[in-house]
Amino acid sequence: MDYEFLMSRALMLARRAEGETENYPMVGAILVKNGKVIAEGYFMGPGEAHAEVNAIQKAGREARGASLIVNLEPCCHYGRTRPCTEAIIGAGIKEVIAGMTDPNPLVRGGGFRNLRNAGIKVKNGILEKECRFLNRHFIKFITTISPWVILKLAMTADGRLGDRYGDCKWITDEPARRYVHRLRSKVQVVMVGIGTVLKDDPELSVRFGVKKRNPRPLVVDEGLRIPLRAKVLRTQAEQGAIIACVGDADAKKKKALERLRIEVIETKADKSGLVSLKELLRRLGEKKIAVLLCEGGARLAGGLLEQGLVDEVQFFYSPKLLIDGRALAGVMGEKLRRIEDAVSLKEPRMERIGSDFLLSGLLREV
């Protein structure tokens, strides 16, 4: 049996729910018997049947004596659904081939142990690197109760977000913008700084024909300067917009925002009087936000990077040069750094999207 081929298929199934699983993992499952695939399933979202159960239900009696290929250790605890290990044992499956151990403290090897105790063969670690990468947001969230943070910037080839007058439309071409809208559809929250809102009045919605749900927009606005008519406050996201401010921000403005059903999160001010980004991410984690996309601006991007709060970068570079020392920089940091202090990307990758180039990489091990 070609375990790696089948695991690749399980990962493909799992990705069908990308953007729909919230703080839960993406999981795909395949049942194989006598060398043939007899059923497949994937986890579609919170409250739905797990991937293993979906595959078992489709196979029916044929599941007895089959092998189960799944990218994540089957769960062994009661939550919104019954443990997958019970379904696997009850179906008479003979072996389980998994991609990785579930990092959830309620599982973490317990699922494999239950299966082995029931006489089921278990093989783990097939395409483990790929399985961990797929669920990197879940791994961080379930172990730290903090969201996976993606920083996306669109810049000229000489690292400028816009010209000295603040104009940044459009640095990248339409294929790159379509990519960004697909990326938005896969996260729970899209975050920007108040400067971006005051300058561009963005919607931060999912457009270009992408049909998945809209993420919640989050504006980091320490002094509550956001206009009540800002487009971002009229979001199509199911749960509405979020504004992050410091504790001594304008109380009247806060009440006005709350009357518009905007969620206001107050944090302590940092040394510069700005929103505490660490506290903000902790508060978002408590609200079960597992994956967040930051789209700038430069000061917010710099703050996140300097504090080690970014997990993944997606930087678009347009083949254009502004050649202006006063044009808007992509990242504004406060610390003095030498070349030896530079932060290296893990698993860096460069790809062409339309006429633009996307540099992606990780700042956190998975």
Side-chain angles (χ1 to χ4, degrees):
M1 188 184 302
D2 189 340
Y3 291 146
E4 291 193 356
F5 173 81
L6 291 167
M7 190 61 70
S8 294
R9 173 65 184 173
L11 289 170
M12 185 177 70
L13 289 169
R15 286 192 193 94
R16 290 182 180 178
E18 194 167 16
E20 302 293 333
T21 61
E22 298 179 2
N23 59 306
Y24 293 88
M26 292 175 276
V27 184
I30 302 173
L31 282 173
V32 177
K33 189 174 183 179
N34 298 326
K36 295 182 179 180
V37 173
I38 60 172
E40 298 178 333
Y42 69 96
F43 175 58
M44 292 183 283
E48 300 292 336
H50 288 194
E52 302 94 318
V53 173
N54 275 326
I56 289 169
Q57 289 176 343
K58 289 178 183 178
R61 293 181 180 178
E62 284 295 305
R64 183 165 297 278
S67 298
L68 172 69
I69 294 86
V70 62
N71 60 291
L72 183 70
E73 174 185 8
C75 68
C76 57
H77 65 96
Y78 286 83
R80 293 189 180 188
T81 60
R82 296 172 64 87
C84 288
T85 50
E86 287 188 2
I88 293 167
I89 295 168
I93 289 169
K94 69 175 183 179
E95 67 175 342
V96 171
I97 295 91
M100 60 174 283
T101 301
D102 190 337
N104 187 340
L106 296 175
V107 184
R108 201 176 291 168
F112 293 146
R113 186 164 53 252
N114 287 1
L115 294 173
R116 289 189 176 105
N117 289 342
I120 296 173
K121 295 179 181 178
V122 174
K123 184 177 180 62
N124 185 32
I126 306 301
L127 295 186
E128 182 174 7
K129 183 177 180 180
E130 291 84 350
C131 291
R132 293 184 67 86
F133 183 80
L134 175 71
N135 277 313
R136 56 199 182 278
H137 70 289
F138 170 71
I139 294 171
K140 183 186 178 187
F141 174 79
I142 204 65
T143 55
T144 68
I145 314 302
S146 183
W148 179 269
V149 177
I150 305 167
L151 175 61
K152 187 280 298 182
L153 297 175
M155 297 173 280
T156 60
D158 52 346
R160 301 295 178 171
L161 288 177
D163 62 27
R164 66 169 65 193
Y165 309 105
D167 185 11
C168 60
K169 292 185 178 180
W170 295 100
I171 287 178
T172 53
D173 290 335
E174 185 173 308
R177 299 199 295 276
R178 287 183 178 275
Y179 177 98
V180 171
H181 282 262
R182 289 195 298 273
L183 181 59
R184 286 180 183 175
S185 76
K186 298 173 183 179
V187 304
Q188 291 170 271
V189 167
V190 174
M191 177 169 70
V192 295
I194 183 59
T196 299
V197 173
L198 295 177
K199 177 165 49 68
D200 299 332
D201 194 20
E203 294 181 19
L204 300 181
S205 59
V206 173
R207 301 186 298 281
F208 282 106
V210 179
K211 295 183 179 180
K212 291 195 176 183
R213 70 179 70 179
N214 280 285
R216 298 183 72 180
L218 164 60
V219 181
V220 179
D221 179 12
E222 58 277 353
L224 292 181
R225 294 185 290 153
I226 189 168
L228 295 179
R229 292 193 174 188
K231 291 178 182 177
V232 75
L233 300 182
R234 302 195 299 271
T235 178
Q236 298 177 42
E238 185 177 340
Q239 294 179 282
I242 305 170
I243 307 295
C245 65
V246 295
D248 60 356
D250 188 334
K252 290 184 179 179
K253 186 69 169 287
K254 178 185 175 184
K255 288 182 179 179
L257 288 165
E258 290 175 338
R259 283 196 294 270
L260 294 175
R261 297 185 179 179
I262 307 302
E263 182 176 1
V264 179
I265 297 178
E266 295 182 0
T267 77
K268 296 178 182 178
D270 64 14
K271 293 179 181 179
S272 301
L274 305 176
V275 167
S276 169
L277 297 174
K278 288 183 179 179
E279 182 182 348
L280 174 59
L281 293 179
R282 177 180 60 78
R283 299 277 294 278
L284 292 174
E286 291 171 353
K287 296 178 182 296
K288 297 185 178 181
I289 303 298
V291 59
L292 173 152
L293 173 66
C294 177
E295 296 196 15
R299 187 181 68 178
L300 179 58
L304 288 166
L305 286 166
E306 284 189 329
Q307 296 176 53
L309 301 176
V310 175
D311 302 298
E312 179 177 350
V313 299
Q314 303 234 355
F315 289 172
F316 279 95
Y317 289 95
S318 169
K320 303 170 185 173
L321 299 169
L322 266 176
I323 320 172
D324 183 348
R326 291 177 59 188
L328 300 177
V331 176
M332 292 176 60
E334 299 294 332
K335 298 179 181 179
L336 297 176
R337 292 178 184 267
R338 296 180 179 274
I339 289 294
E340 57 263 31
D341 300 322
V343 178
S344 297
L345 295 180
K346 300 173 177 64
E347 307 289 338
R349 179 183 177 188
M350 181 71 81
E351 59 184 302
R352 185 165 183 170
I353 297 181
S355 62
D356 303 302
F357 295 86
L358 173 61
L359 171 64
S360 58
L362 304 181
L363 291 170
R364 180 186 180 90
E365 294 285 356
V366 296

